Amino acid sequence: MAKIVHKEPPDGGWGWMVVLAGFLKNCLMFGLIRSFGVFFVQFTVHFEGSSGRVSWIGSLLLATQQFASPFGSLFGTQFGARPVVMVGGVLACLGLLTASFGQSLLHLYLSIGLLTGFGWALVFTPTIATIARYFRRRRTLATGLAFTGVGIASFFFPPLFQFLIDGYGWRGALQVVSAIMLNLCVCAALLRPIRLIEDLPVASAGDGKKKTKCWGKVASAFDLTLFLLRGFMVYSFSAAVLAMGFFVPYIHLMAHGKDLGLSDYEAAFLISVTAISDAVARLFSGWVADRRLIRKIHLLFLWNFFTGLSILLIPAGRTYTSVMGLCTFYGFCAGGLPVLLFSTISDIVGIERNLHATGHFLMLMSFGSLLGLPLSGFLRDRMGNFTISFMTAAGFVFAACLVLLFTPGFFGSSKVLPDDEDIASPPSSSRIDLNEERPAPRKEEPMSPGLAWKSLSFPLPENLETNF
């Protein structure tokens, strides 16, 4: 039976089930990250550690998930998204289960930070890339729907985790959470693969020599030529600077509430209130971006700026009501940012390279995630509160705005996507037979061995540097 290849993403159909998989994945992964402040307080008390030392748990978890993402991309390309995500779900479960028996912070660094983080790396990139492959016109909206799971889970998880800790202690609570994490395997089952016309191989005269070179094989497997694209590197550097401040309130908001004299459940509810506006913002951000009223890179800049402003204002709240209001504002600003951040990647590099690009993007972003939380904890230990921590975090977010200004095409053409012309006049049929004869590729001169590793696996879109 001939395999079916889609000329363009179907923008629906089974793609909505893939969005559901992304929704559940974000609930389980980033819902836990957002609610990790509940465990942060328990770890600080039980291990008698400083905020800076305990912060390394969440920092390593985020950094490992992001730094190891290229392996998720590689394995997803070689074996498909479904089995890779299933393996990642099992590893994430084992990491949390092992952490429940930990006797020192080092045990938690290794189990939660490294093992669960690596499992999440195998889950995140293939899932996000699969969503991007199923959608074109409504790609940002679909991504926004998937990321809404973060806000909804963040609303329910903090009180739930506090309830589990009160009933079973933090060790028992981690064991329950590890069992919940196995539902990532259910998400994997929904990731039906789809073949696009961009996936069809195009032969070239230099392929024989390239495959005989070890470095050429590595470069092709990981698509290392992405690091030669100026637009991609500037965009990734901006995200790395953003990560140094973006995740700080997620982990330290509950501890900040405790410093203000709030009860455990009142402090946990701060995260829940933030999650409500976060979920609304993700849908709103995706809807606005797909309306194309403003260029996506400019919309990202504005959302980035207001996120920094919202973090800067959090220490101004002194009463429970004022803190709740500021957290609501922060949740709305921060919620819409990831939707734009990840949906823009395919606009920069093209949909056929989105899987590897997302992995490399997260790897570069991990350096900021690794340093931001420990720095925030260190400043809290020195100053006695999180005021300077939040102000520093806001400074990094503002700095990320400035880096975005150097993105190629930021002040240039108003063209939003490289596929705009295709959207205006879609092909008459969206599916083709894989065995259909295609025109023979134009023969090219063989590359010299020194330049073979620089060759691309797929043709690049036109105006690559300015196709925002």
Side-chain angles (χ1 to χ4, degrees):
M1 181 177 177
K3 295 181 179 180
I4 299 299
V5 177
H6 293 255
K7 287 186 178 179
E8 64 173 7
D11 268 312
W14 190 261
W16 295 118
M17 298 304 295
V18 177
V19 171
L20 176 61
F23 174 88
L24 296 175
K25 177 266 300 179
N26 284 308
C27 283
L28 295 171
M29 288 177 53
F30 296 103
L32 175 60
I33 284 289
R34 287 282 194 91
S35 312
F36 199 72
V38 180
F39 289 102
F40 178 88
V41 175
Q42 297 297 320
F43 294 155
T44 303
V45 174
H46 181 83
F47 294 106
E48 298 180 350
S50 64
S51 298
R53 292 178 60 201
V54 177
S55 295
W56 278 103
I57 301 173
S59 180
L60 284 171
L61 175 60
L62 280 170
T64 303
Q65 179 259 316
Q66 294 170 345
F67 187 81
S69 288
F71 290 98
S73 302
L74 174 63
F75 296 147
T77 302
Q78 296 295 323
F79 305 108
R82 186 177 290 169
V84 173
V85 173
M86 284 189 177
V87 172
V90 173
L91 292 178
C93 168
L94 291 177
L96 292 172
L97 181 62
T98 305
S100 67
F101 301 99
Q103 300 299 317
S104 68
L105 287 176
L106 177 60
H107 295 158
L108 302 188
Y109 296 159
L110 297 175
S111 55
I112 297 179
L114 298 183
L115 185 56
T116 298
F118 184 75
W120 282 4
L122 300 182
V123 171
F124 183 82
T125 311
T127 305
I128 291 297
T130 304
I131 293 175
R133 291 173 64 81
Y134 268 91
F135 291 89
R136 172 175 292 173
R137 300 174 184 85
R138 294 178 283 187
R139 183 178 297 154
T140 309
L141 178 61
T143 306
L145 286 170
F147 273 97
T148 304
V150 179
I152 294 178
S154 300
F155 177 76
F156 291 104
F157 277 3
L160 173 63
F161 290 169
Q162 189 62 54
F163 174 78
L164 292 174
I165 290 172
D166 291 343
Y168 304 103
W170 66 266
R171 297 183 186 276
L174 278 180
Q175 292 171 5
V176 175
V177 173
S178 69
I180 296 174
M181 195 59 59
L182 274 178
N183 284 286
L184 288 172
C185 297
V186 179
C187 302
L190 297 175
L191 300 179
R192 177 186 294 174
I194 181 174
R195 292 179 65 93
L196 301 174
I197 193 170
E198 291 92 343
D199 301 327
L200 297 179
V202 179
S204 63
D207 283 349
K209 293 182 179 180
K210 180 176 67 175
K211 291 181 180 179
T212 61
K213 300 292 184 178
C214 179
W215 176 246
K217 293 180 180 180
V218 173
S220 176
F222 286 97
D223 200 357
L224 297 182
T225 51
L226 286 166
F227 293 114
L228 301 177
L229 305 181
R230 178 177 167 231
F232 176 72
M233 292 303 296
V234 173
Y235 188 71
S236 300
F237 179 67
S238 173
V241 177
L242 171 69
M244 292 193 70
F246 183 76
F247 297 104
V248 168
Y250 292 161
I251 306 300
H252 292 157
L253 190 57
M254 183 173 178
H256 174 63
K258 294 289 292 181
D259 287 345
L260 296 177
L262 304 181
S263 66
D264 289 340
Y265 282 96
E266 286 177 335
F269 193 66
L270 289 178
I271 305 175
S272 298
V273 169
T274 304
I276 297 175
S277 57
D278 176 280
V280 174
R282 291 171 189 267
L283 291 175
F284 179 74
S285 175
W287 178 78
V288 170
D290 283 344
R291 295 277 293 179
R292 304 175 190 275
L293 300 175
I294 180 175
R295 293 178 61 198
K296 192 183 295 184
I297 190 66
H298 293 163
L299 186 61
L300 177 63
F301 177 86
L302 292 175
W303 224 284
N304 201 329
F305 175 81
F306 282 108
T307 299
L309 181 62
S310 65
I311 297 175
L312 185 65
L313 292 176
I314 289 178
R318 294 300 174 184
T319 64
Y320 187 45
T321 303
S322 62
V323 174
M324 285 182 62
L326 292 171
C327 287
T328 302
F329 177 58
Y330 160 72
F332 186 83
C333 295
L337 190 55
V339 177
L340 296 167
L341 203 62
F342 287 100
S343 65
T344 305
I345 296 176
S346 56
D347 300 339
I348 300 175
V349 302
I351 187 60
E352 71 277 5
R353 309 181 78 192
N354 183 69
L355 180 58
H356 284 295
T358 303
H360 296 323
F361 173 79
L362 287 169
M363 182 187 70
L364 295 173
M365 193 176 178
S366 68
F367 294 103
S369 301
L370 181 65
L371 300 175
L373 291 175
L375 176 61
S376 176
F378 171 79
L379 292 175
R380 192 271 177 201
D381 293 332
R382 290 288 183 178
M383 302 299 174
N385 56 57
F386 283 100
T387 299
I388 300 299
S389 297
F390 287 138
M391 293 176 66
T392 304
F396 284 121
V397 177
F398 287 136
C401 288
L402 296 178
V403 177
L404 276 179
L405 296 177
F406 294 91
T407 306
F410 187 92
F411 298 104
S413 170
S414 61
K415 187 175 181 180
V416 179
L417 291 173
D419 301 318
D420 282 349
E421 297 175 1
D422 297 334
I423 292 174
S425 56
S428 57
S429 174
S430 62
R431 305 194 337 161
I432 64 174
D433 194 316
L434 183 60
N435 296 328
E436 179 184 353
E437 293 186 4
R438 305 175 66 207
R442 181 174 58 87
K443 293 184 178 181
E444 299 178 357
E445 294 297 328
M447 291 185 180
S448 63
L451 296 177
W453 70 274
K454 293 185 178 179
S455 61
L456 301 179
S457 301
F458 302 96
L460 291 174
E462 295 182 1
N463 301 325
L464 181 64
E465 299 291 349
T466 60
N467 59 3
F468 287 103

